[in-house]
Amino acid sequence: MRRQGYALVDQELADGLWSVVAPVRGRDGEVGAGVNIAVHAGRTSVESVRRDLPPHLPATVARIDAGLRITGPARAAGHDSGTHR
């Protein structure tokens, strides 16, 4: 996955579901999330999943990365502005 920037998940999440996933990295370079595109295995071939889906991931991941850099780290619910609930 590291070399190509994505992983193909072959029916590991659920029977009949193929998924292509790419990591979203934080400022420190650590993976904090992932972008996932899932398709029904009975409606397409694994060849078309490999060919058609991965090209969409880099731009999507880049937009998410940019948004995270602008907004900063996520805050835990109930801990905004130093208040505790």
Side-chain angles (χ1 to χ4, degrees):
M1 178 171 131
R2 185 176 300 258
R3 189 169 20 127
Q4 61 194 19
Y6 69 91
L8 175 65
V9 180
D10 185 1
Q11 302 185 62
E12 292 175 32
L13 299 174
D15 285 339
L17 185 69
W18 284 325
S19 184
V20 178
V21 63
V24 176
R25 299 182 184 279
R27 291 181 188 168
D28 58 2
E30 294 293 318
V31 175
V35 173
N36 179 57
I37 304 171
V39 295
H40 191 278
R43 296 182 181 206
T44 189
S45 68
V46 70
E47 293 82 16
S48 67
V49 170
R50 284 191 174 120
R51 179 190 65 235
D52 298 337
L53 298 183
H56 298 281
L57 291 171
T60 302
V61 168
R63 286 192 300 270
I64 293 169
D65 282 342
L68 291 174
R69 280 191 289 279
I70 291 168
T71 61
R75 297 181 186 178
H79 296 281
D80 300 298
S81 305
T83 61
H84 299 284
R85 296 179 189 164

